[in-house]
Amino acid sequence: MIKDAFATHRFTSLLLLSLLSLAMHTLSGADVASADEGMWLFNHPPKKLLKQQYQFEATDKWLEHLQRSAVRFNSGGSGSFVSPNGLVMTNHHVGADTLQKVSTPEKDFINLGFQAKTQAEEIKSPDLELNVLMSIEDVTARVEAAVKADMPLADAQKARRAVTSAIEKESLDKTGLRSDVVTLYQGGQYHLYRYKKYTDVRLVFAPEQDVAFFGGDPDNFEYPRYDLDICFFRVYENDKPAKIEHYLTWSGAGCKDGDLVFVAGHPGHTDRLNTVAHLDYLRDVSVPNSLNILRRHEVTLKGYAERSIENTRRARDDFFGVQNSRKARLGGLAGLQDPTVMKKKKQEEVELRQKIGADTKLKQYASAFDEVSTAIAETKKIRVQQILWESQVAFNSELYSKAVTLLRMAEEDAKPNGERLREYRESNRESLEQSLFSDAPIFDDLETVKLADALSLMLEMAGWNDELARKVMAGKSPNERAAELIAGTKLKDVDLRKQLAKGGKKAVDASKDSMIELARLVDPTARATRKNYEEKVDEPMKQAYGKISKARFAISGADSYPDATFTLRLAFGTVKGYTEAGKSIAPLTDIGGAYKHAESHHNVEPFKLPETWLKAKSKLKLDTPLNFVSTADIIGGNSGSPVVNRQGELVGIIFDGNIQSLVLDYVFTEEQSRAVSVHSAGIIESLRNVYGANHLADELVGKK
Amino acid sequence: MIKDAFATHRFTSLLLLSLLSLAMHTLSGADVASADEGMWLFNHPPKKLLKQQYQFEATDKWLEHLQRSAVRFNSGGSGSFVSPNGLVMTNHHVGADTLQKVSTPEKDFINLGFQAKTQAEEIKSPDLELNVLMSIEDVTARVEAAVKADMPLADAQKARRAVTSAIEKESLDKTGLRSDVVTLYQGGQYHLYRYKKYTDVRLVFAPEQDVAFFGGDPDNFEYPRYDLDICFFRVYENDKPAKIEHYLTWSGAGCKDGDLVFVAGHPGHTDRLNTVAHLDYLRDVSVPNSLNILRRHEVTLKGYAERSIENTRRARDDFFGVQNSRKARLGGLAGLQDPTVMKKKKQEEVELRQKIGADTKLKQYASAFDEVSTAIAETKKIRVQQILWESQVAFNSELYSKAVTLLRMAEEDAKPNGERLREYRESNRESLEQSLFSDAPIFDDLETVKLADALSLMLEMAGWNDELARKVMAGKSPNERAAELIAGTKLKDVDLRKQLAKGGKKAVDASKDSMIELARLVDPTARATRKNYEEKVDEPMKQAYGKISKARFAISGADSYPDATFTLRLAFGTVKGYTEAGKSIAPLTDIGGAYKHAESHHNVEPFKLPETWLKAKSKLKLDTPLNFVSTADIIGGNSGSPVVNRQGELVGIIFDGNIQSLVLDYVFTEEQSRAVSVHSAGIIESLRNVYGANHLADELVGKK
């Protein structure tokens, strides 16, 4: 559910200060039983709430153990340590990025699955980076001291960037840990997150996609489900399995209906605290526009994939990502287009503004709502430029993207750290290179098809007579130009990329590579657009939402959580069914249900179980729980998050939300929306009796 | 290749006067050998050209026989009589509309194919109407006499409509034949087409879709191909097979490389003579917009279809149509985005305008180009309104469409014939009712999914605060509102539709049916938009293009053909291979190639041959020709057109164009663009040795 291949159009940095006032009422009122809302910070956990509502004591020790057992996949997902020997569990669809990259036409691990019988057989990922959150430090005071209230916007933006990069660099130098300043509550707070980083990550086990993504796109975001959406990796240090202090022990029984469960994961992005005008913009412009582009990519990739089995293999992970994002966005849009949701949002905003207006201390924040609207008006002006040139929708090419990185790296390196574009700051260099020098395969034919379609889209969006677009096309048609560009680049060669990176500005300037030349042509416009965006949209939005946040805190108190930022959060909820169209949906499914589901669809793709499962049926305990739902508050990015019980034992792994949960991007509701997990018992049962992976199951349950 | 499910956005009535000047040069110059261009009128055939170029004498008798053997499928395609007993051959993908409508979950004829062993087993189509062109009469003088040069646009439009309807009504009363006035050369000429109409049309034979559309979407519009894209119907009169005087006899040998062939079919629409500004509009606005909507429908239908085998069956014909249109439009857009094509167009227009400006007699037409541009500016203003309300993109529902027909029929019937909206004119009543009272199945679930998506699109396009859109939504979300509307209508019931139609305005006004009420709400806006379009776009475009046409005639002479109008045309060309990416593509494929093609794709969908073919392999002569390409000038609508040799014998049936032919919408080229046909020999071989349909094969070859 998570991998959101097209997140560029959003204000990913627009995060707001506080809770919906409705939710606040619920949380602080008498009727607390229905409030499983919240993606809570680990340095601001909902201790009081858990105690009141579930008589659960979340001790610091319990929290620290869970925090350090949780793992972030930088490819876009979550996971957890599940053994002292570096074993990491995540979803198949999170691991698929690596599965795709290490597969070949002869060994298609997505299709066939993978199992390392020994550690020697574990396969190293070309570019995966895992992060474990070691500490959080509040650096708000230092950031606020650097950005003065009376600065012009451009200066404020520069000051904010400079102080952020400085904090990160200092922290890296001091601790050796990956250090990221995270903007929370949209400028209300700035926290420094320090991560232990693992970059030698090896594939241990994956089931076949047919069972990992059983039911395919039709069942995606639906329930009941019967998916074994799991994948195991192992982190190494110095070529040996890393020794892990904090890992989750496996629950014997797993969870059952009514149990309290916790989720520690990395929700990617939410828009719950946007102003109504901002939501209007998402509903009317931003989301429909990305859906059009997603559908376009979906149809283009499908057309490419269907031409042969090998094409299908090459495009699979891309295709899944696009399809998944399309369905998620569509669900989100359904929320935005639901008048009851929007009415509630409007009402809350009216009340909030009334309170702000009525309070002499808060009046200073009253203008913030209009300031957001002004920034949105600016966004509308530069939206197309931003999407095409800076987000690279005009090219949609791996090779182009690498060319831009090389070009910019050479230019940014010449600047002081605090003045660089954020991704080129010194503290991010290792991660940047991990990705830039990946030897994951790039396919010329797929690149050409994607690029040709992107150039055609560029002509549509920029306009036929746009000067830059005309230069990009060089008098050719999209198909011709794409073929020419792909034929003219050697950037597929990792050594060449390393050489250019090492050679710096001189080497890059001298390059006649077609993609470097294209990047050189486009970059001035892309940079100008970005500058415009950062100064006229991002900075004033940060300031405006910062004001709104301060007002909310003053009115509703500080017991709240910020919108999601792809950083570690704690959610909680109850294992619980729901009612849909008058039908009661049970919270748990079992292994027997998977076979029935396949049969009821005549075992036809995507409802076909793999051979291994068909052969194993008689050996399996069919009433073993396979999937379950809970009311925990999750969103894209939570994929692979561990689900634990009161004892902190692993009882499942998040892999999806139901269709009703897609509205959680904008508003929390627990009437029908549910997080969907694989059950711990179903994992062990299938590892032992479908895959004969007893060594792995033993490692999980701690059996020597 | 033909069924263009989304043609509504186009100026289908914008047809131009003459040939490209380039083509004219070729035709009149010395180098005539390369000019297989032209979709020629049967009352203005290229006799001289055929004689010069191919030493072929197209006698009146030869032409009349071919004309009367050709059949138009009003569902959107072509066909021909192939026996004296009413047997009609067309493409599977033209017949699929009927196959879909007469199928059930138990008898899925698209999937399984169909074969009537006796005439008693032939299945009547619920709504198919076939037309055979009996005569053409030039009525230009009468139309021009009715529309005065100095009339205001609105009056001119009314006068044109009135005289057209009157001519048609008179002709129908006099001859009993279906009578349509066709606007040719965009107002340069008006011809009255009289058709014999067949409405009792029964299904005789169809192969499985797996071989009819072998290679699926990936192979669609590609070559080499190996498809048996055929379907047979029989027309009945008075419950007996109709006796047919003009039918095509089957060629013994079929055609071979280098043969001259002719195509008699119904090309739907071309834009070859548009002004450059008009092509710019198509490239920048109209085509990208329809592609977005097509992709959206494609993704929505796919999502519905994949949920179950029955869903797949229900959505199949819709899905094919949308996918096919998307690929065709994309090919067309590639032409418009090809600078060499646009440069040529621009150059021709500059030359034409210079000649007009230099000639004192033609100077009166010089303003026409700007008049077209003015009309395009008007189109841009009302485009969204037109698409949403009049073209019903806001609803995309069979049931809504029926409601509109009932509502408007009741209102239009009260007016004099000459003042009615064109589709409600008296001479069209039978055809309208044939469609309105069809008992083809309508599926509530599919209707709901399509309608919900359409309502969401309406909110995007009209804008959240649009007054009509708000009224349509009635405070609900798209999903809720769609479900409510479908639950609230009984229009699926054919008897109710007949009752309402019979009851007229009083009955319709009294109806509380949800869809009738919706139509009642929307229709004033839809009508106003249409009126606007007809007066401010259609009429001035007709007048402007009429002027350009007159100028072209004066400059280049009258040996030309008009743009396609879904009326009968004669094309010709040579069976001939081509070179693609340096590779030589042979003109013919054979039956053995089909098996090899399947094997090279591991027999996986859509490259899976049906069981019947796998079983029959040893019985088949594998070197029998199956498909072939020729240089004949065709476009969407030509699907199912007979291909005949010099003797007028049937040697094949058009079913596709290659990808390079999609540019033919805008400009003719014969370097690579080819028409793709099923070969007559492959048809007989498979009928006898795959399907054991000897009775049918015997009927085709005239064996008693």
Side-chain angles (χ1 to χ4, degrees):
Chain A
M1 63 172 286
I2 263 63
K3 298 170 58 179
D4 217 13
F6 185 71
T8 44
H9 76 294
R10 292 195 183 184
F11 301 115
T12 42
S13 55
L14 289 181
L15 302 167
L16 303 190
L17 185 59
S18 175
L19 279 172
L20 294 177
S21 58
L22 179 88
M24 295 299 300
H25 295 157
T26 316
L27 289 175
S28 55
D31 178 23
V32 288
S34 70
D36 290 342
E37 171 166 1
M39 299 171 174
W40 298 86
L41 297 171
F42 269 79
N43 57 344
H44 191 67
K47 287 187 181 186
K48 213 173 94 191
L49 185 66
L50 286 169
K51 185 128 192 207
Q52 277 180 0
Q53 198 160 315
Y54 288 104
Q55 297 76 52
F56 178 76
E57 196 84 49
T59 64
D60 289 346
K61 201 179 148 195
W62 186 94
L63 285 163
E64 192 203 1
H65 179 66
L66 185 57
Q67 173 190 317
R68 297 224 181 168
S69 299
V71 169
R72 182 170 76 171
F73 276 69
N74 267 3
S75 56
S78 302
S80 59
F81 286 123
V82 285
S83 97
N85 296 313
L87 193 65
V88 175
M89 180 165 74
T90 186
N91 289 145
H92 182 275
H93 76 269
V94 173
D97 176 63
T98 295
L99 288 167
Q100 176 85 36
K101 287 172 178 169
V102 300
S103 286
T104 62
E106 295 72 35
K107 289 189 177 173
D108 179 359
F109 299 128
I110 293 193
N111 198 11
L112 304 171
F114 175 78
Q115 187 177 163
K117 294 283 182 193
T118 63
Q119 283 179 5
E121 287 179 19
E122 293 173 2
I123 303 176
K124 192 174 171 181
S125 163
D127 49 17
L128 205 49
E129 178 189 313
L130 304 192
N131 297 152
V132 178
L133 180 59
M134 304 305 283
S135 69
I136 309 177
E137 187 185 328
D138 191 333
V139 294
T140 311
R142 184 162 166 199
V143 173
E144 289 191 343
V147 184
K148 316 286 181 211
D150 56 351
M151 278 178 168
L153 284 174
D155 294 348
Q157 192 272 328
K158 279 193 195 92
R160 201 181 295 279
R161 177 161 72 182
V163 68
T164 303
S165 293
I167 293 169
E168 289 165 337
K169 179 68 168 50
E170 281 167 27
S171 170
L172 172 67
D173 289 347
K174 202 173 88 186
T175 63
L177 294 172
R178 172 176 174 144
S179 300
D180 299 342
V181 171
V182 180
T183 308
L184 297 170
Y185 300 106
Q186 183 58 15
Q189 293 180 18
Y190 292 84
H191 292 188
L192 173 62
Y193 277 59
R194 290 199 188 90
Y195 299 100
K196 181 159 173 56
K197 214 170 66 184
Y198 294 94
T199 53
D200 184 350
V201 185
R202 306 192 191 174
L203 179 64
V204 175
F205 175 89
E208 306 89 339
Q209 191 178 37
D210 276 352
V211 66
F213 192 45
F214 180 49
D217 182 59
D219 270 7
N220 197 13
F221 300 108
E222 307 284 342
Y223 201 74
R225 286 291 277 286
Y226 312 88
D227 288 17
L228 187 69
D229 195 351
I230 57 166
C231 187
F232 290 93
F233 290 91
R234 193 184 302 281
V235 295
Y236 280 69
E237 286 181 310
N238 305 317
D239 218 27
K240 282 188 185 134
K243 289 294 154 208
I244 303 297
E245 188 191 343
H246 292 284
Y247 64 92
L248 299 174
T249 55
W250 206 265
S251 158
C255 60
K256 58 180 194 312
D257 193 5
D259 280 2
L260 169 65
V261 291
F262 302 89
V263 177
H266 303 82
H269 179 86
T270 52
D271 295 287
R272 293 187 187 170
L273 300 169
N274 286 12
T275 65
V276 170
H278 197 165
L279 290 173
D280 285 351
Y281 171 73
L282 294 179
R283 182 196 61 213
D284 296 338
V285 182
S286 173
V287 179
N289 179 70
S290 11
L291 272 164
N292 273 339
I293 295 177
L294 284 168
R295 288 190 197 100
R296 182 175 183 125
H297 288 171
E298 181 169 349
V299 167
T300 302
L301 286 172
K302 183 96 186 151
Y304 168 84
E306 276 189 342
R307 298 193 71 83
S308 72
I309 289 178
E310 173 57 8
N311 280 17
T312 303
R313 190 189 72 77
R314 291 179 179 190
R316 192 157 31 201
D317 193 46
D318 264 12
F319 183 65
F320 168 77
V322 166
Q323 227 180 9
N324 190 54
S325 297
R326 181 259 304 156
K327 206 163 175 181
R329 283 300 148 77
L330 213 51
L333 185 61
L336 290 172
Q337 288 187 338
D338 183 340
T340 55
V341 171
M342 292 307 274
K343 202 174 152 189
K344 200 187 280 180
K345 290 280 183 189
K346 219 165 199 163
Q347 208 172 313
E348 287 162 16
E349 186 165 306
V350 167
E351 282 171 24
L352 179 62
R353 293 182 79 162
Q354 274 167 354
K355 283 180 189 160
I356 291 172
D359 186 324
T360 47
K361 275 186 225 145
L362 300 181
K363 263 189 181 159
Q364 53 175 320
Y365 304 131
S367 62
F369 295 88
D370 290 342
E371 286 162 26
V372 171
S373 298
T374 305
I376 287 168
E378 286 297 325
T379 305
K380 285 184 183 168
K381 285 187 213 157
I382 59 174
R383 199 181 63 81
V384 169
Q385 299 281 314
Q386 172 80 1
I387 290 170
L388 286 178
W389 313 123
E390 179 62 10
S391 302
Q392 305 177 10
V393 165
F395 309 106
N396 190 24
S397 150
E398 199 75 24
L399 292 164
Y400 177 76
S401 169
K402 299 221 181 286
V404 172
T405 303
L406 287 166
L407 183 76
R408 288 191 169 177
M409 209 157 91
E411 289 170 6
E412 295 297 299
D413 277 1
K415 300 178 190 167
N417 185 41
E419 290 175 24
R420 295 183 194 166
L421 294 175
R422 208 169 140 62
E423 58 275 30
Y424 298 93
R425 69 196 188 277
E426 286 179 20
S427 62
N428 192 50
R429 174 52 55 104
E430 268 185 39
S431 299
L432 188 70
E433 291 188 350
Q434 168 95 346
S435 157
L436 178 62
F437 301 144
S438 165
D439 61 1
I442 295 173
F443 302 104
D444 283 352
D445 60 343
L446 179 53
E447 282 276 298
T448 309
V449 164
K450 284 163 65 180
L451 180 56
D453 187 56
L455 291 173
S456 175
L457 177 61
M458 175 193 75
L459 289 173
E460 283 175 38
M461 289 182 71
W464 183 258
N465 293 314
D466 179 83
E467 209 188 311
L468 179 54
R470 290 189 85 85
K471 283 183 188 160
V472 166
M473 294 312 294
K476 309 278 193 321
S477 72
N479 287 327
E480 285 172 325
R481 184 67 176 136
E484 180 182 74
L485 284 165
I486 299 298
T489 181
K490 299 230 172 331
L491 292 185
K492 254 201 318 192
D493 179 354
V494 179
D495 289 336
L496 174 66
R497 297 203 293 268
K498 286 185 177 163
Q499 212 176 294
L500 284 166
K502 206 180 159 195
K505 195 161 180 340
K506 206 174 144 189
V508 173
D509 282 353
S511 171
K512 301 270 183 215
D513 189 277
S514 62
M515 283 297 181
I516 299 269
E517 291 195 326
L518 180 62
R520 205 179 282 137
L521 171 68
V522 173
D523 207 45
T525 307
R527 279 178 178 273
T529 305
R530 174 151 168 183
K531 190 165 181 287
N532 231 334
Y533 174 80
E534 288 181 342
E535 291 175 5
K536 293 191 183 150
V537 180
D538 191 52
E539 179 62 28
M541 283 256 194
K542 274 199 172 113
Q543 295 187 7
Y545 275 121
K547 290 178 195 168
I548 296 174
S549 304
K550 284 192 176 72
R552 280 191 203 263
F553 268 126
I555 293 166
S556 308
D559 265 345
S560 66
Y561 64 92
D563 261 310
T565 49
F566 197 44
T567 51
L568 191 66
R569 302 295 178 92
L570 178 68
F572 59 90
T574 306
V575 177
K576 192 175 170 185
Y578 57 105
T579 304
E580 187 179 57
K583 227 178 96 186
S584 162
I585 312 282
L588 286 94
T589 67
D590 63 24
I591 288 181
Y595 290 97
K596 282 181 214 147
H597 195 53
E599 281 153 27
S600 77
H601 288 85
H602 307 268
N603 304 295
V604 166
E605 289 274 12
F607 301 95
K608 205 180 72 182
L609 283 168
E611 277 303 310
T612 50
W613 278 70
L614 299 178
K615 278 189 196 150
K617 189 174 177 186
S618 62
K619 283 186 286 181
L620 288 164
K621 225 172 133 284
L622 295 177
D623 62 355
T624 311
L626 183 53
N627 291 171
F628 67 90
V629 285
S630 68
T631 57
D633 188 359
I634 61 151
I635 200 88
N638 267 116
S639 275
S641 302
V643 185
V644 302
N645 59 18
R646 289 170 182 254
Q647 288 73 46
E649 297 165 336
L650 193 136
V651 297
I653 171 172
I654 296 284
F655 75 96
D656 208 355
N658 65 359
I659 204 97
Q660 293 90 345
S661 80
L662 292 170
V663 72
L664 293 190
D665 202 345
Y666 307 106
V667 63
F668 182 79
T669 152
E670 64 186 54
E671 196 189 333
Q672 292 186 306
S673 84
R674 292 293 180 275
V676 187
S677 303
V678 190
H679 193 280
S680 57
I683 295 173
I684 295 295
E685 179 70 8
S686 53
L687 284 178
R688 293 198 189 281
N689 296 321
V690 177
Y691 298 103
N694 283 311
H695 61 295
L696 182 56
D698 287 348
E699 188 175 350
L700 291 173
V701 300
K703 191 172 155 188
K704 305 282 164 177
Chain B
M1 59 172 288
I2 263 64
K3 297 170 59 178
D4 219 16
F6 185 71
T8 43
H9 76 292
R10 293 199 182 181
F11 301 113
T12 42
S13 54
L14 287 182
L15 303 165
L16 302 191
L17 186 59
S18 174
L19 277 172
L20 294 175
S21 59
L22 178 91
M24 295 298 301
H25 295 156
T26 317
L27 289 175
S28 54
D31 179 24
V32 288
S34 70
D36 290 343
E37 170 166 0
M39 299 171 174
W40 298 87
L41 297 171
F42 267 80
N43 58 342
H44 190 66
K47 286 188 177 183
K48 214 173 92 190
L49 184 68
L50 286 169
K51 184 126 191 208
Q52 276 180 1
Q53 199 160 314
Y54 287 104
Q55 298 75 51
F56 178 75
E57 196 83 50
T59 64
D60 288 346
K61 203 181 146 191
W62 186 93
L63 286 163
E64 192 203 0
H65 179 66
L66 185 56
Q67 172 190 317
R68 298 223 180 170
S69 299
V71 169
R72 182 169 76 170
F73 276 67
N74 268 2
S75 56
S78 302
S80 59
F81 285 123
V82 285
S83 97
N85 296 313
L87 193 65
V88 175
M89 180 165 73
T90 186
N91 290 146
H92 183 275
H93 75 269
V94 173
D97 175 63
T98 294
L99 287 167
Q100 175 85 34
K101 287 172 177 169
V102 299
S103 285
T104 62
E106 296 72 36
K107 290 188 177 174
D108 178 0
F109 298 129
I110 293 193
N111 198 10
L112 304 171
F114 174 79
Q115 188 178 162
K117 294 283 181 193
T118 63
Q119 284 179 3
E121 287 180 16
E122 295 173 1
I123 303 175
K124 192 172 171 180
S125 163
D127 50 18
L128 204 51
E129 178 188 312
L130 305 191
N131 297 150
V132 177
L133 179 59
M134 303 306 283
S135 71
I136 308 176
E137 187 185 329
D138 191 334
V139 295
T140 312
R142 184 162 166 200
V143 173
E144 289 191 343
V147 184
K148 314 289 180 208
D150 57 351
M151 278 178 168
L153 284 174
D155 294 349
Q157 192 270 331
K158 281 195 194 90
R160 202 181 295 279
R161 176 162 73 182
V163 67
T164 304
S165 293
I167 293 169
E168 290 165 336
K169 178 68 168 50
E170 282 167 26
S171 169
L172 172 66
D173 289 347
K174 203 173 88 188
T175 65
L177 294 172
R178 172 176 174 143
S179 300
D180 298 343
V181 170
V182 180
T183 308
L184 296 169
Y185 301 106
Q186 184 56 18
Q189 292 180 18
Y190 292 83
H191 292 188
L192 172 62
Y193 277 59
R194 292 200 188 88
Y195 300 101
K196 182 160 172 54
K197 215 170 65 182
Y198 294 94
T199 53
D200 183 351
V201 185
R202 305 190 190 175
L203 179 64
V204 175
F205 174 90
E208 307 89 340
Q209 192 179 35
D210 277 353
V211 67
F213 192 44
F214 182 49
D217 183 59
D219 270 7
N220 197 14
F221 300 108
E222 307 285 342
Y223 201 76
R225 286 290 279 285
Y226 311 89
D227 288 19
L228 187 70
D229 194 351
I230 57 166
C231 188
F232 291 92
F233 289 91
R234 194 185 302 281
V235 294
Y236 280 69
E237 285 181 310
N238 305 316
D239 218 27
K240 283 187 183 136
K243 288 295 155 207
I244 302 299
E245 188 191 342
H246 292 285
Y247 65 91
L248 299 174
T249 55
W250 206 266
S251 158
C255 59
K256 57 181 195 310
D257 193 4
D259 280 1
L260 169 66
V261 292
F262 302 88
V263 177
H266 303 82
H269 180 84
T270 52
D271 294 288
R272 293 188 187 170
L273 300 170
N274 285 12
T275 65
V276 170
H278 197 164
L279 290 173
D280 285 350
Y281 171 74
L282 293 180
R283 181 195 62 212
D284 298 336
V285 181
S286 173
V287 179
N289 180 70
S290 9
L291 272 164
N292 272 339
I293 295 177
L294 284 168
R295 289 190 197 97
R296 181 175 184 125
H297 288 172
E298 182 170 347
V299 168
T300 302
L301 286 172
K302 183 96 184 150
Y304 168 85
E306 276 189 341
R307 297 193 69 83
S308 72
I309 289 179
E310 173 59 6
N311 280 17
T312 303
R313 190 189 73 76
R314 291 179 180 190
R316 192 156 32 200
D317 192 47
D318 263 13
F319 183 66
F320 168 78
V322 166
Q323 229 180 8
N324 190 54
S325 297
R326 181 258 305 156
K327 206 163 176 182
R329 280 302 148 78
L330 213 51
L333 185 61
L336 290 172
Q337 288 187 338
D338 184 339
T340 55
V341 171
M342 291 308 272
K343 202 173 153 190
K344 200 186 280 181
K345 290 281 182 188
K346 217 166 200 162
Q347 209 171 312
E348 287 163 14
E349 186 165 305
V350 167
E351 282 172 25
L352 179 62
R353 293 181 79 161
Q354 275 167 354
K355 282 180 190 161
I356 291 173
D359 186 325
T360 46
K361 272 185 230 147
L362 300 181
K363 263 188 180 159
Q364 53 174 321
Y365 304 132
S367 63
F369 295 88
D370 291 342
E371 286 162 26
V372 170
S373 298
T374 305
I376 288 169
E378 286 295 326
T379 305
K380 285 184 183 166
K381 286 186 216 158
I382 59 173
R383 201 181 62 82
V384 168
Q385 298 280 313
Q386 173 79 0
I387 290 170
L388 286 178
W389 312 124
E390 179 62 10
S391 302
Q392 304 177 10
V393 165
F395 309 106
N396 189 26
S397 150
E398 199 75 24
L399 291 164
Y400 177 74
S401 168
K402 299 222 182 288
V404 172
T405 303
L406 287 166
L407 183 77
R408 288 191 170 177
M409 209 158 91
E411 289 171 5
E412 295 298 299
D413 278 1
K415 300 177 188 167
N417 186 39
E419 290 175 22
R420 296 183 194 167
L421 295 175
R422 210 170 140 61
E423 58 274 30
Y424 298 93
R425 69 195 187 277
E426 285 181 18
S427 61
N428 192 50
R429 175 53 56 103
E430 267 185 39
S431 300
L432 187 71
E433 291 189 349
Q434 169 94 344
S435 156
L436 177 61
F437 301 144
S438 165
D439 60 1
I442 295 173
F443 302 104
D444 283 352
D445 61 343
L446 179 54
E447 282 277 297
T448 308
V449 164
K450 286 163 63 179
L451 180 55
D453 187 57
L455 291 173
S456 175
L457 176 62
M458 174 193 75
L459 289 173
E460 282 174 38
M461 290 182 71
W464 183 259
N465 293 314
D466 180 82
E467 208 189 313
L468 180 54
R470 290 189 84 85
K471 283 183 187 161
V472 166
M473 294 312 295
K476 309 279 193 320
S477 74
N479 287 327
E480 285 172 323
R481 183 66 177 138
E484 180 182 75
L485 283 164
I486 300 297
T489 181
K490 299 230 172 332
L491 292 184
K492 254 201 318 192
D493 179 354
V494 178
D495 288 336
L496 174 66
R497 297 203 293 267
K498 286 186 177 162
Q499 213 175 296
L500 284 166
K502 206 179 159 196
K505 194 158 180 342
K506 206 174 144 189
V508 173
D509 282 352
S511 171
K512 300 270 183 214
D513 189 277
S514 63
M515 283 297 181
I516 299 269
E517 291 195 325
L518 179 63
R520 206 179 281 136
L521 171 68
V522 173
D523 207 46
T525 306
R527 279 179 177 272
T529 305
R530 175 152 169 184
K531 189 165 181 287
N532 231 334
Y533 174 80
E534 287 182 343
E535 290 176 5
K536 294 191 183 150
V537 181
D538 191 53
E539 179 62 29
M541 283 257 193
K542 275 198 173 113
Q543 295 186 7
Y545 275 120
K547 290 178 196 168
I548 297 174
S549 304
K550 283 191 177 70
R552 279 190 203 264
F553 268 127
I555 292 165
S556 309
D559 265 346
S560 67
Y561 65 92
D563 261 311
T565 48
F566 197 44
T567 51
L568 191 66
R569 301 297 177 91
L570 179 68
F572 59 89
T574 307
V575 177
K576 194 176 170 183
Y578 58 104
T579 303
E580 186 180 56
K583 226 177 96 185
S584 161
I585 312 281
L588 285 94
T589 67
D590 63 23
I591 288 180
Y595 291 98
K596 282 181 211 145
H597 195 55
E599 282 153 26
S600 76
H601 287 85
H602 307 268
N603 303 296
V604 165
E605 288 276 12
F607 300 97
K608 204 181 73 180
L609 284 168
E611 276 303 310
T612 51
W613 278 71
L614 299 178
K615 279 188 196 151
K617 190 175 177 186
S618 62
K619 284 184 287 182
L620 287 164
K621 227 174 134 278
L622 294 177
D623 61 356
T624 310
L626 183 53
N627 291 171
F628 68 90
V629 285
S630 68
T631 58
D633 189 359
I634 61 151
I635 199 89
N638 267 115
S639 275
S641 302
V643 185
V644 302
N645 59 18
R646 289 170 183 256
Q647 288 73 45
E649 296 164 338
L650 192 136
V651 298
I653 171 172
I654 297 283
F655 75 96
D656 208 353
N658 64 0
I659 204 99
Q660 293 90 346
S661 80
L662 292 171
V663 71
L664 294 189
D665 202 344
Y666 307 106
V667 62
F668 183 79
T669 153
E670 65 187 52
E671 197 189 332
Q672 293 187 305
S673 83
R674 293 292 181 274
V676 187
S677 303
V678 189
H679 193 280
S680 57
I683 294 172
I684 295 295
E685 181 69 8
S686 54
L687 284 178
R688 291 198 191 280
N689 296 321
V690 177
Y691 299 102
N694 283 311
H695 61 294
L696 182 56
D698 287 348
E699 187 175 348
L700 291 172
V701 301
K703 191 172 156 187
K704 306 282 164 172

